[in-house]
Amino acid sequence: MKIRLPENKSEITLGQYQRYVKLLERDLDVYSFNRRKLEIFTDLSFQDTAKVTQVDFEFCLNQIDKALNMTYEELVSK
């Protein structure tokens, strides 16, 4: 299974970001929240997110968070 992850904010679409903002408003447990987050920022279905190994799951979430938290200055300097 190949997963494409955003490396910075410019690789996050407006649609993905809007879905993420709606996700933040939901009352979900951490695991469900993280699966939904992985679903939004990759091409995986919600069912397929359960098949990702724990190591890969954590790596993907860290990469997504890194892209989401990137500042404008970091984006411009790349």
Side-chain angles (χ1 to χ4, degrees), residues 14-73:
L14 178 59
Q16 287 173 322
Y17 189 74
Q18 289 172 330
R19 288 177 60 202
Y20 178 65
V21 169
K22 285 184 181 179
L23 177 64
L24 292 172
E25 297 170 355
R26 295 180 63 185
D27 185 27
L28 298 172
D29 62 90
V30 174
Y31 181 65
S32 296
F33 175 85
N34 286 334
R35 284 184 62 198
R36 293 287 178 192
K37 186 166 144 182
L38 192 61
E39 175 189 25
I40 290 169
F41 294 105
T42 66
D43 291 330
L44 296 176
S45 67
F46 183 74
Q47 291 78 15
D48 285 342
T49 62
K51 299 175 187 174
V52 177
T53 66
Q54 183 65 31
V55 171
D56 290 339
F57 190 78
E58 289 177 18
F59 174 82
C60 291
L61 291 174
N62 286 333
Q63 181 61 42
I64 291 166
D65 288 339
K66 184 178 172 184
L68 284 169
N69 294 321
M70 183 173 276
T71 64
Y72 176 74
E73 291 79 20

Side-chain angles (χ1 to χ4, degrees), residues 4-21:
R4 185 167 177 359
L5 297 168
E7 292 184 26
N8 56 55
K9 280 186 178 178
S10 68
E11 294 183 3
I12 296 173
T13 67
L14 178 59
Q16 287 173 322
Y17 189 74
Q18 289 172 330
R19 288 177 60 202
Y20 178 65
V21 169

